[in-house]
Amino acid sequence: MPDLTMKTLLIAYHSRTGATHAMAQAVGNGASAETNVKVLVQPATETTSEHVLQADAYVFAAPEMLGSMSGLMKDLFDRTYYDVLDQINGRPFATVVCAGSDGQGAVRQIQRIATGWRLNAIAPALVVCTHAQTAQAILAKKQLGASDLQRGFDLGEGFAAGLAQGIF
């Protein structure tokens, strides 16, 4: 029988140009449709070890900058990693990366940290490519298309449904 107690999905993000924030919000909007899941969407800079410990599942959303996850997203992991190590084993997670190209550097970094925490990925990383390749385009505020935002919504909706029903 599935565990129908209230679960918490923490969506921790960093965004410099708005794209990752928009994706985090889209994931949160999708997840919010599930009544047995409390959705917490918050900046990585405000996320503490207590938030990580109290959550039942995670979405880590970051931009890729210079082939890596953003420094402020890494700071979240630097600040919380050892405080929660061996206390969150087996919890589900998903990754969202916004990048000017393939985003795989940031994806690999987040997956390595999640492996160290012994988390379980519930889906392949969702990478949104903005195709920004010049300094001006990279630094510009981003507006994501409806199809990318829908991908985020669908990820959140499916994650929350699975979490609520005890699948994840």
Side-chain angles (χ1 to χ4, degrees):
M1 178 167 228
D3 177 8
L4 297 178
T5 60
M6 181 66 78
K7 303 288 184 174
T8 299
L9 174 61
L10 171 63
I11 302 170
Y13 73 91
H14 172 248
S15 187
R16 185 167 179 186
T17 64
T20 308
H21 181 240
M23 287 303 293
Q25 286 297 124
V27 173
N29 291 342
S32 293
E34 180 56 57
T35 58
N36 287 330
V37 175
K38 175 184 173 186
V39 179
L40 181 59
V41 180
Q42 67 183 42
T45 55
E46 297 174 16
T47 302
T48 67
S49 299
E50 280 304 308
H51 292 117
V52 176
L53 287 170
Q54 292 172 3
D56 298 290
Y58 316 96
V59 175
F60 302 114
E64 183 174 72
M65 302 176 86
L66 303 173
S68 302
M69 81 173 102
S70 66
L72 289 176
M73 190 67 188
K74 184 172 180 306
D75 175 70
L76 162 66
F77 295 119
D78 288 343
R79 287 183 292 103
T80 63
Y81 189 84
Y82 294 105
D83 291 343
V84 306
L85 187 62
D86 291 327
Q87 297 179 68
I88 60 172
N89 296 4
R91 294 183 189 176
F93 84 101
T95 303
V96 175
V97 171
C98 292
S101 56
D102 70 7
Q104 294 308 301
V107 168
R108 280 191 301 278
Q109 284 183 302
I110 293 170
Q111 287 175 338
R112 288 184 72 176
I113 291 164
T115 297
W117 271 346
R118 295 165 192 81
L119 301 178
N120 293 320
I122 60 103
L126 192 165
V127 177
V128 174
C129 184
T130 65
H131 303 285
Q133 294 296 309
T134 65
Q136 183 177 0
I138 291 166
L139 296 173
K141 292 292 181 195
K142 306 290 187 295
Q143 296 292 323
L144 298 179
S147 63
D148 286 325
L149 295 172
Q150 185 65 50
R151 291 169 55 210
F153 184 93
D154 293 346
L155 173 65
E157 184 177 49
F159 197 167
L163 185 62
Q165 296 198 16
I167 295 169
F168 305 127

